[in-house]
Amino acid sequence: MSFLIERPWILIVAMSVLFYISVGILYYQHTKRKKAFNTIKTMKRNKELSKVYLRIDNGYGEFYDMSFSVDGENWSSGVLFSDEFLTPSILMPSGEYEIKFSVKSRSGATVYYKKKGPFYTKIVVKPFIDTIIVFDNDTLASWQEDLKE
């Protein structure tokens, strides 16, 4: 304590150094996120990502805690949801995937819902073609359908 009383400027220097380190970390995270956002934006513009729409039959609800795997063993931390709110969808590059998801569902127009899952389904995403993952609330089955426009 006597060391700080004799040299109070050390506290100011230490706080300043910590402040500039935290600003540097925030700038690094910002540039990393900006680069990822621009990459996703470019991929959407070049039509490298297809939309996979999400639909619940025989009820209402929403998908959550979604992740995907190419080989069935290594699961990603999550999927990239598109910017559509009324018809929810995820953006994925072409390929074959296994999707793991959970569902918050309700059978009618009520505020109470049940959490169900996790469920697994295999999908094939083709370039430039949008598809639908359908979850049946009664049978708890899920499958892939082609998008009919």
Side-chain angles (χ1 to χ4, degrees), residues 3 17 32 51 56 77 95 99 108 146:
F3 182 75
V17 168
K32 203 164 97 172
K51 287 186 183 174
I56 295 179
S77 60
I99 301 285
D146 292 332

Side-chain angles (χ1 to χ4, degrees), residues 134-149:
V134 180
F135 175 77
D136 191 353
N137 197 25
D138 292 338
T139 63
L140 303 180
S142 59
W143 62 90
Q144 177 181 1
E145 289 182 358
D146 292 332
L147 180 66
K148 297 175 183 94
E149 295 183 12

